[in-house]
Amino acid sequence: MMCEFFVSSRYLLAKQKERFISLTSLISILGISVGVAALIVVIGVMNGFDQELESKVMGMNAHLVVITEEPAGMTTDEAAKLRQILKGYSGITAAADFISGQAMISNGRQTSGVLLKGIEPEQEKDVTDIVRYLKAGSLPSANGGIVIGSELAKRFSLGINDSASFLSLGAKGPVQRKICGIFTSGMYEYDLNMVIAGIKTAQEILGAENMISGLELKTAQPLEAHKIKKEVQKILGYRYWVRSWMDLNKNLFSALKLEKIVMFVILTLIVLVACFNIA
């Protein structure tokens, strides 16, 4: 170590005639220091952003989703059997029934398409963090209330105990329900386009009585969801499709990965320029 200090001191602290060389050396070292610092800071910020985004995505989505190849979905009895099969697998810590589909929400002259998700509130608490994102009110219960995102509430000027009409292609007619809760996830797409209801209410709106879309599963290791997905797929067989939270948001995370690579290349070029200055 003393040898390195000796060489660096002789290089930086040159004689009177070589002061200009010392100055250029100092500027070159500062240049590479700034380049390396920028590289570390930007990569750190990108990693932190990724983790925050993953936290929000996993807060609104289960780690794994099991659906059937049947277009109509599965019955509640079939879902109960699947939960019993998966109960003995250590990688799964919780499971919840859900139903989802496209619907229309209207309030007066305003109308918009939304993604309607029907849940069993007590099961859902163990699978996602939707309760943590509730800004006002509570999760839907047996009285048939609806939970909407904060951006959708602003667009339609809706608050707790206000009513809105919901309609889908499979329904017999519009269904009127009160707003029992408003959530803010921090993800604009979810806050604007997602509506959450109890399973029975969602079945009524979607016209799918006694049917559900599938199961939501929570894993012990969220980042190992892709590996656990393959094992669950083997257990359930190929009549069912298993999708991880990474699969469901593949386009988003692919874009972030590409952005991170581009930023790394740009900042590496900055460091290389500083290295050429020293050379």
Side-chain angles (χ1 to χ4, degrees):
M1 182 64 75
M2 292 302 295
C3 180
E4 287 84 350
F5 276 119
F6 173 74
V7 173
S8 60
S9 62
R10 288 296 298 272
Y11 185 66
L12 291 173
L13 303 175
K15 297 178 182 179
Q16 186 70 29
K17 295 180 180 180
E18 300 172 342
R19 292 295 184 189
F20 181 72
I21 296 176
S22 296
L23 179 61
T24 56
S25 300
L26 181 61
I27 293 173
S28 299
I29 289 173
L30 289 175
I32 196 169
S33 298
V34 171
V36 172
L39 180 64
I40 293 172
V41 169
V42 171
I43 295 299
V45 169
M46 292 297 294
N47 286 334
F49 178 70
D50 281 358
Q51 291 175 4
E52 181 67 18
L53 186 61
E54 287 173 4
S55 174
K56 290 184 181 297
V57 169
M58 285 189 287
M60 292 297 295
N61 294 277
H63 299 161
L64 294 176
V65 172
V66 179
I67 57 177
T68 179
E69 61 184 11
E70 297 294 332
M74 64 179 74
T75 64
T76 52
D77 291 338
E78 185 179 356
K81 291 178 181 178
L82 293 181
R83 285 201 304 273
Q84 283 297 118
I85 293 172
L86 295 172
K87 195 173 182 181
Y89 178 62
S90 59
I92 304 299
T93 59
D97 297 350
F98 81 98
I99 182 172
S100 65
Q102 299 292 329
M104 298 287 290
I105 179 174
S106 60
N107 181 33
R109 294 183 178 180
Q110 289 181 300
T111 303
S112 178
V114 294
L115 174 64
L116 176 65
K117 181 181 179 182
I119 62 170
E120 288 286 0
E122 292 304 316
Q123 294 179 356
E124 191 72 15
K125 292 176 183 177
D126 297 329
V127 174
T128 65
D129 294 330
I130 182 63
V131 176
R132 183 161 58 93
Y133 295 131
L134 278 176
K135 182 180 177 182
S138 60
L139 289 179
S141 57
N143 61 8
I146 298 284
V147 176
I148 63 174
S150 55
E151 295 297 330
L152 186 63
K154 288 178 185 177
R155 174 175 288 189
F156 281 78
S157 300
L158 293 171
I160 303 298
N161 293 325
D162 288 341
S163 295
S165 293
F166 297 88
L167 179 66
S168 73
L169 291 175
K172 297 177 181 178
V175 177
Q176 191 89 3
R177 286 291 183 271
K178 284 187 176 182
I179 307 301
C180 67
I182 298 173
F183 69 85
T184 301
S185 68
M187 297 280 286
Y188 182 77
E189 290 298 320
Y190 291 148
D191 294 343
L192 180 65
N193 298 314
M194 182 172 280
V195 171
I196 299 172
I199 279 189
K200 291 188 180 300
T201 301
Q203 287 171 339
E204 183 181 358
I205 295 172
L206 297 173
E209 293 184 9
N210 301 319
M211 300 298 291
I212 62 172
S213 299
L215 289 177
E216 294 180 304
L217 306 176
K218 184 175 182 179
T219 64
Q221 299 292 332
L223 298 180
E224 296 291 328
H226 193 68
K227 178 182 176 182
I228 298 173
K229 178 190 80 170
K230 294 180 180 179
E231 296 175 1
V232 172
Q233 185 73 72
K234 289 180 181 178
I235 294 172
L236 299 181
Y238 287 94
R239 183 172 175 270
Y240 301 97
W241 294 339
V242 184
R243 296 289 181 268
S244 69
W245 61 274
M246 291 172 274
D247 296 330
L248 297 174
N249 298 275
K250 190 173 183 179
N251 292 338
L252 175 62
F253 288 109
S254 295
L256 288 174
K257 185 178 180 180
L258 179 61
E259 184 179 357
K260 188 186 292 186
I261 292 172
V262 171
M263 291 300 297
F264 179 83
V265 171
I266 293 172
L267 292 169
T268 300
L269 291 175
I270 294 174
V271 175
L272 286 175
V273 170
C275 290
F276 278 117
N277 285 338
I278 291 180

